[in-house]
Amino acid sequence: MAGEGKAYTRDTQYIEDRILDDPDARWPVEPGRYRLVAARACPWANRAIIVRRLLGLEDVISMGLCGPTHDENSWTFDLDPGGLDPVLRIPRLKDAYEARLPGYPRGITVPAIVDERSGEVVTNDFAQITEDFATQWTRHHRAGAPDLWPQELREEMDAVNKRVYTEVNNGVYRCGFAGDQQAYDAAYERLFTALDWLEERLATRRYLVGDAITESDVRLFTTLARFDAVYHGHFKCNRRKLTEMPNLWGYARDLFTTPGFGDTIDFTQIKQHYYLVHRDLNPKGIIPDGPDLSVWAEPHDRARLGGTPFGDGTAPGAIPEAERVPTSANPLVGTDGLVH
C-alpha cells in the first residue's frame, strides 16, 4: 500500500514457482499432492476457485478456505473446526510460507498452492496459478471442460487482460487506497475510462474475447461481482453503479448465472472482509445491509449476441457439498449449491 499523499502501488513480487506437466520438474503435476488455499472474500483467490471448478479439478487439487478476515500477519483457517486446516493442520497460512521461506518478508496472500507433503507454499502468483490450471493440468480436466486459453486468441487475451488488470482489477484498489485527492482523482478517471471501454466493447459481443468464456472473463467477473457491494461505496468508485452500466451489468448477470461463476460468490464474506479488515477506511467496522441481491436474477438477454458459454464443451456438474456457498450468503444459490 502507498504512503500518505501517494498513489496506491500493489506489491507484485510473488513466489513464482510453477507446477508443470513435466515429471522432472521441481513441482510436477501430480493429482492429490497440492492444496489450493483460497478465501471466498478475495477477488484474486476467487479466480482460482472459479477456474478449478470450470475445469473439474476438485478431485485432483484439494481446496482449503480461509475466513473472510485476517490480521496483519496472516489469513487464518477460522472456518475450520479448531481453527486448523484439516489437511495442512496449521492455523495460519503464514505457517506454510514460513515452512518454505523462514522469515518470509512479504505479505501473506491468497490464493496460494501448498505442497501437502512438505507443508510448503509452492506459489502465490495468482495469475500464473489459473493459467497453469488451464494449460498444465489438461490431462486431468473433466470431460467437456472449456478451453480457457485458446491458442488462437492468446495475443488478444494478453492485451485485454493487461488493461483489465491494471485499470479495473487493480484500479478499484487504486481509488480506495489513494493517499490524497490528486491520486484519487487520477485513479477514478483511469478506472471509469476503462469501464467505458468495456461497456462499449460488450455492446456487440457476449464475452470479452471470442465466442465462449475464457480466462479473460474470469478475471473481470470477480471485480464486477464486488463492485456495487463494496467498491462503489467503500472504495469511492461511485460515478455509476454496475447496475447503471447496461452492457457490463448484463454481461455480469450472464456470467453470474453460468455454472462455475455465481455459485462461487459469497456476498456475506465479501462484505465482511472489506468492511472489517479496512478499518482505516471504515473505522467503526459497520457492514452495510445492502445492496439488494435479487437484481442478479433479472434476465440479461445476452444470448442475442451469439456465442455459447462453454463452446463445444459442457457446464461443470454438481458442487461438492463441503464447497457449497450457503444460501444465506448468496440467495440465488439453491440447496444443491447451484445458481437458480
Side-chain angles (χ1 to χ4, degrees):
M1 186 182 300
E4 183 70 24
K6 298 181 180 179
Y8 169 76
T9 302
R10 180 174 296 279
D11 183 354
T12 56
Q13 296 186 50
Y14 301 106
I15 301 172
E16 296 180 340
D17 285 14
R18 297 176 60 190
I19 299 171
L20 300 174
D21 191 13
D22 177 355
D24 296 323
R26 178 181 182 183
W27 307 106
V29 165
E30 186 176 333
R33 177 171 177 178
Y34 304 102
R35 187 161 179 81
L36 168 65
V37 177
R40 294 195 187 279
C42 171
W44 317 100
N46 196 176
R47 295 179 179 189
I49 296 171
I50 291 171
V51 170
R52 174 177 172 270
R53 169 153 163 68
L54 291 174
L55 300 178
L57 294 173
E58 293 98 327
D59 293 333
V60 179
I61 302 169
S62 69
M63 182 168 70
L65 291 173
C66 296
T69 61
H70 59 78
D71 58 25
E72 294 182 356
N73 290 317
S74 183
W75 290 85
T76 55
F77 295 100
D78 45 281
L79 299 177
D80 293 306
L84 294 177
D85 179 272
V87 172
L88 302 175
R89 306 304 299 172
I90 56 176
R92 307 176 306 164
L93 180 56
K94 183 177 182 178
D95 296 335
Y97 278 77
E98 293 281 350
R100 171 73 188 277
L101 297 167
Y104 184 73
R106 317 202 76 84
I108 305 302
T109 62
V110 288
I113 302 291
V114 179
D115 177 24
E116 293 184 11
R117 294 178 184 173
S118 65
E120 298 178 5
V121 166
V122 175
T123 177
N124 65 338
D125 187 342
F126 64 88
Q128 194 64 59
I129 286 171
T130 53
E131 183 173 353
D132 286 347
F133 279 0
T135 61
Q136 299 299 311
W137 291 81
T138 53
R139 290 185 292 115
H140 304 285
H141 290 178
R142 66 178 176 84
D147 183 357
L148 297 178
W149 284 91
Q151 189 65 46
E152 69 277 10
L153 297 178
R154 289 189 184 183
E155 184 175 353
E156 184 179 3
M157 286 178 64
D158 286 343
V160 169
N161 291 349
K162 181 178 180 180
R163 188 168 186 184
V164 167
Y165 169 73
T166 59
E167 307 304 298
V168 181
N169 299 146
N170 198 44
V172 294
Y173 286 85
R174 198 181 293 115
C175 288
F177 294 121
D180 63 12
Q181 189 68 47
Q182 183 178 6
Y184 167 75
D185 289 344
Y188 179 96
E189 181 64 27
R190 285 179 63 178
L191 170 64
F192 281 98
T193 295
L195 290 174
D196 286 343
W197 165 68
L198 288 166
E199 179 73 5
E200 181 178 357
R201 183 179 181 90
L202 292 167
T204 57
R205 58 174 70 208
R206 188 172 181 183
Y207 302 106
L208 275 182
V209 183
D211 296 323
I213 56 172
T214 64
E215 169 88 11
S216 298
D217 299 297
V218 176
R219 294 184 177 197
L220 178 57
F221 173 76
T222 58
T223 296
L224 297 182
R226 290 159 175 76
F227 199 88
D228 286 3
V230 176
Y231 303 142
H232 179 271
H234 187 56
F235 279 0
K236 303 180 183 66
C237 303
N238 61 354
R239 190 189 75 180
R240 291 179 186 169
K241 295 178 180 177
L242 176 63
T243 56
E244 296 167 343
M245 294 179 269
N247 297 324
L248 274 165
W249 175 225
Y251 165 82
R253 297 199 315 279
D254 188 4
L255 291 178
F256 192 88
T257 54
T258 298
F261 286 83
D263 51 40
T264 71
I265 299 296
D266 187 315
F267 286 108
T268 297
Q269 289 196 24
I270 287 169
K271 291 194 295 183
Q272 288 173 337
H273 171 70
Y274 286 93
Y275 288 102
L276 293 178
V277 171
H278 302 153
R279 288 301 180 98
D280 50 340
L281 302 182
N282 187 41
K284 294 186 177 180
I286 295 172
I287 303 171
D289 291 332
D292 178 9
L293 301 177
S294 67
V295 295
W296 283 95
E298 294 176 355
H300 54 74
D301 193 33
R302 296 286 295 177
R304 61 183 169 78
L305 297 173
T308 55
F310 300 101
D312 295 331
T314 58
I319 302 174
E321 186 172 355
E323 296 185 5
R324 294 175 185 174
V325 174
T327 300
S328 60
N330 185 341
L332 302 182
V333 170
T335 56
D336 57 359
L338 303 176
V339 167
H340 296 280

